[in-house]
Amino acid sequence: MIPKIILGKGPDATRRTIGYLFGPGRANEHTDPHLVASWNGFAPDPGRSPHRDPKEVEKQLAAQLDQPVKILGDKAPKFTVWHCPVRAAPEDPILTDDQWAEVARRIVAAAGIAPDGDEDACRWVAVRHADDHIHIAATLVRQDGRRPKRDYDQRAVQKTARNIEVDYGLRRLKAGDGTAARRATSKEHFKAKRLGQDATPRDVLRLRVRRAVAAADSEAGFLFLLEATGVNVRLKRGPSGYALGCNFALPGDTNDQGEPVYYAGSTLAPDLSLPMIRERLVTTSPAPTTVPPGNPWHQATAAGERIPHHLAYGDDQSAQGQLVALGMTLDLLPETAPRAVRAELSQAATAFERATRSRITADLDSTRALRRGLQGIWRERPQDRDGTGLAMLLDVTLTAVAFAMHWHRTHQHAQQEAAAQQALVHLHAACAQVVEPVLTQLARRTPNVQAKRRYTRHIQATVPEHAERILNDPAWDALATVLAQAEATGHNTATILGRAISQRTLDDARSPARALTWRIRRLGERHVPSPRAQAANVRSSTAQRSSAPVRPSATVPLQQRSPARRR
């Protein structure tokens, strides 16, 4: 059950609201509008007065609601109307008028509009004009002339709605923390439907602004990308000329006066205000010239592979920063993927957007490598002839999202956990179309039995604690192929395998063979080190493994481990 509070102002606010509720609707969607409850139980009902002109009854009802406001005259508050649609889910049972009346009474009591037993409370009515929802309209002056105490009414109403869902056996929504993006209004949905659009301008703008933030490395680049994707930008400047805010509009989206409809960034999502966007752009300034250029697919994948470790062992601020960067990865993946999987990846990004925000402040310093890798993919569009680059990044992203879901669960972020879980469904579908074919192609080129036996001995000697999992992994043939490819280009098998394992633990890998396949593939494309350097690498890897402490995750019971580990 979804309640949403809307405030109205102006001398005719009450009359306009009542006229809309008892009218035909914007698309003739209102059916049999009538009162189900009111402040006194006998307010005039325009929908149940067959012997009177409905317009006259609407006028009478609006006048009665407005009476406390009119008495105050110039001392009346700026906002005089409290309007709250309350909608049930499509699969919910249809409630009776009496049940909706009880829902309305509980909502206005929770909001402070009409507390139980308060005879001097605000005047209100509940109007039903469809099976699945009602509208509650109230005036914001009590009958004793005071203002209602409705501090945090949205939060109180949402909490009451969760209790109502339990009491009436309705679909139970997840409790939020106030960081969700603002939903499009019914007016915006009707407008989009009337114009034949699949999404509202608010939703389209949110997606385009998020992608621009993910792809840009400066404020100027961010504004340029928005212009390139057809978004009109209007900056709000202070007296000094410095931009304080940013509003966005789509070409052709106009109001009744033909003016563009602009949305402030903060109304698209809490993290899309200009100060928040600037904070993210600071962490993606161009890399120093001393950093050697590399394959951005490899850079982004290597950074993405470290996200589970940050979520499992890092502090909350760093973990929240990783979730922000993970969301940016999902925002850009559809732009670099084959057309066949763009829809699934776009749905994954849209779903995970909710999982990128919580009440925890994000520390973005540790996300620089991932952000720069993503921007390199965006700017340079490096060749990915066999699809391995996308497959690697998509596979590690899938694992990271699984850890994100677990992290939100442990922090009791119900909405974020559900969003990550929904994103996983779409990512699994995309992986089936992208990752599996790449692994299948690699497996078809697996080396002969003698070579595989030799690689088996290397695995058993190098990583004995994971050898059985690797050798029984469906991706073992693909791993053997990339080991053979690396060996063919001059790499020493023991050395490159040791380097791949030393990069990160395999404890949290869903598929250790797949993880090693991507690491060997990245390392194998690098310049082959000299024999002396190879020997030094072997000694270093051996020393690191012999001195490494026991991993905590290797000793905890299976039921306490991350869900991604048990896959």
Side-chain angles (χ1 to χ4, degrees):
M1 179 167 285
I2 302 175
K4 182 178 181 180
I5 295 173
I6 306 165
L7 300 181
K9 62 181 179 180
D12 297 322
T14 305
R15 181 66 186 274
R16 288 198 307 269
T17 302
I18 295 301
Y20 167 72
L21 297 182
F22 284 94
R26 294 185 173 89
N28 294 314
E29 73 278 10
H30 294 180
T31 303
D32 186 25
H34 60 279
L35 290 183
V36 295
S38 66
W39 77 96
N40 56 8
F42 51 84
D45 185 352
R48 291 292 185 270
S49 302
H51 303 298
R52 298 181 60 191
D53 181 357
K55 293 299 181 183
E56 287 298 321
V57 184
E58 288 179 23
K59 185 177 179 181
Q60 181 185 3
L61 176 60
Q64 290 189 15
L65 286 168
D66 251 347
Q67 190 175 25
V69 178
K70 298 299 184 184
I71 291 175
L72 288 185
D74 295 339
K75 296 181 180 180
K78 176 181 178 182
F79 292 98
T80 57
V81 172
W82 187 91
H83 177 196
C84 182
V86 185
R87 186 179 299 274
E91 64 270 23
D92 284 340
I94 297 176
L95 302 183
T96 65
D97 280 359
D98 288 342
Q99 288 173 320
W100 275 120
E102 178 59 24
V103 168
R105 293 187 188 98
R106 293 173 67 172
I107 292 290
V108 294
I113 296 296
D116 291 335
D118 188 346
E119 297 181 357
D120 292 325
C122 297
R123 297 185 176 188
W124 61 273
V125 294
V127 181
R128 183 179 188 179
H129 52 217
D131 287 338
D132 62 349
H133 71 279
I134 60 172
H135 290 255
I136 304 171
T139 44
L140 290 174
V141 175
R142 291 167 47 88
Q143 296 183 78
D144 57 10
R146 294 183 296 154
R147 311 286 178 84
K149 295 181 179 180
R150 56 180 194 86
D151 296 337
Y152 308 107
D153 55 350
Q154 182 69 55
R155 187 180 305 174
V157 164
Q158 291 290 347
K159 183 178 179 179
T160 298
R162 302 294 81 79
N163 295 331
I164 292 172
E165 291 162 359
V166 175
D167 295 343
Y168 285 92
L170 307 178
R171 176 186 173 186
R172 299 177 64 176
L173 301 182
K174 304 294 185 181
D177 58 3
T179 61
R182 186 176 297 181
R183 296 174 179 270
T185 65
S186 57
K187 181 179 179 180
E188 292 170 7
H189 280 296
F190 286 131
K191 181 179 178 181
K193 184 178 180 180
R194 186 175 70 252
L195 297 176
Q197 299 168 347
D198 295 331
T200 65
R202 182 188 298 275
D203 295 331
V204 174
L205 285 170
R206 183 185 300 118
L207 175 61
R208 293 187 185 180
V209 173
R210 284 181 60 85
R211 284 182 177 171
V213 174
D217 59 5
S218 67
E219 189 171 335
F222 166 68
L223 297 175
F224 173 80
L225 286 173
L226 286 176
E227 183 180 352
T229 55
V231 176
N232 296 327
V233 180
R234 184 175 65 188
L235 296 176
K236 179 182 178 182
R237 299 187 181 276
S240 65
Y242 184 72
L244 303 176
C246 206
N247 296 335
F248 311 98
L250 289 178
D253 181 30
T254 58
N255 58 20
D256 295 339
Q257 288 73 43
E259 301 168 337
V261 179
Y262 280 93
Y263 297 83
S266 59
T267 65
L268 297 178
D271 55 351
L272 293 182
S273 65
L274 187 56
M276 295 288 287
I277 290 172
R278 282 174 172 154
E279 183 179 344
R280 296 189 186 187
L281 294 176
V282 166
T283 65
T284 53
S285 56
T289 56
T290 56
V291 177
N295 186 322
W297 285 112
H298 295 179
Q299 293 173 346
T301 301
E305 197 178 33
R306 291 192 287 271
I307 292 178
H309 181 81
H310 287 288
L311 294 175
Y313 303 109
D315 58 62
D316 285 350
Q317 290 72 28
S318 296
Q320 180 61 48
Q322 296 297 318
L323 295 176
V324 172
L326 182 56
M328 294 181 179
T329 304
L330 288 167
D331 287 334
L332 289 184
L333 274 177
E335 299 299 305
T336 61
R339 188 178 300 275
V341 294
R342 287 179 187 172
E344 289 288 359
L345 291 177
S346 293
Q347 288 177 293
T350 300
F352 193 77
E353 185 261 351
R354 179 68 188 96
T356 62
R357 291 187 302 274
S358 72
R359 288 292 181 183
I360 299 172
T361 302
D363 181 358
L364 299 172
D365 284 343
S366 62
T367 67
R368 293 176 185 268
L370 177 56
R371 295 287 308 280
R372 287 171 179 162
L374 292 173
Q375 289 167 359
I377 294 172
W378 175 270
R379 290 193 307 268
E380 301 168 21
R381 303 297 171 117
Q383 289 187 349
D384 187 23
R385 290 185 296 273
D386 59 357
T388 304
L390 176 62
M392 287 191 296
L393 183 55
L394 184 54
D395 198 22
V396 301
T397 299
L398 178 65
T399 301
V401 171
F403 270 80
M405 181 180 71
H406 180 67
W407 187 85
H408 281 305
R409 181 185 302 138
T410 60
H411 287 72
Q412 298 182 343
H413 298 162
Q415 288 187 355
Q416 292 90 331
E417 178 193 347
Q421 187 173 24
Q422 184 181 358
L424 273 178
V425 174
H426 298 294
L427 286 175
H428 276 297
C431 277
Q433 299 181 64
V434 175
V435 178
E436 297 301 335
V438 170
L439 291 172
T440 300
Q441 288 296 327
L442 289 173
R444 287 174 181 171
R445 303 197 298 271
T446 191
N448 56 41
V449 176
Q450 291 80 5
K452 290 183 68 175
R453 287 175 180 169
R454 183 161 51 85
Y455 298 147
T456 297
R457 291 193 294 271
H458 281 301
I459 294 289
Q460 292 169 336
T462 308
V463 56
E465 67 272 24
H466 294 292
E468 184 177 356
R469 290 181 64 211
I470 294 171
L471 299 175
N472 292 324
D473 194 312
W476 162 235
D477 286 344
L479 173 57
T481 299
V482 296
L483 283 170
Q485 291 173 343
E487 197 174 62
T489 58
H491 287 276
N492 178 278
T493 302
T495 302
I496 197 169
L497 188 57
R499 291 179 63 193
I501 292 170
S502 67
Q503 285 184 345
R504 246 189 53 71
T505 177
L506 293 172
D507 289 344
D508 51 26
R510 292 180 304 113
S511 167
R514 280 165 71 159
L516 287 177
T517 298
W518 307 137
R519 295 181 196 177
I520 297 293
R521 182 62 181 261
R522 298 197 300 270
L523 292 169
E525 293 185 7
R526 297 181 184 176
H527 180 69
V528 179
S530 66
R532 180 179 296 180
Q534 290 188 27
N537 284 332
V538 170
R539 290 194 298 271
S540 175
S541 298
T542 303
Q544 289 179 9
R545 289 194 300 276
S546 62
S547 62
V550 177
R551 298 282 181 184
S553 59
T555 59
V556 297
L558 180 62
Q559 63 270 22
Q560 295 181 12
R561 298 183 188 177
S562 164
R565 171 77 181 273
R566 300 198 298 268
R567 282 185 173 82

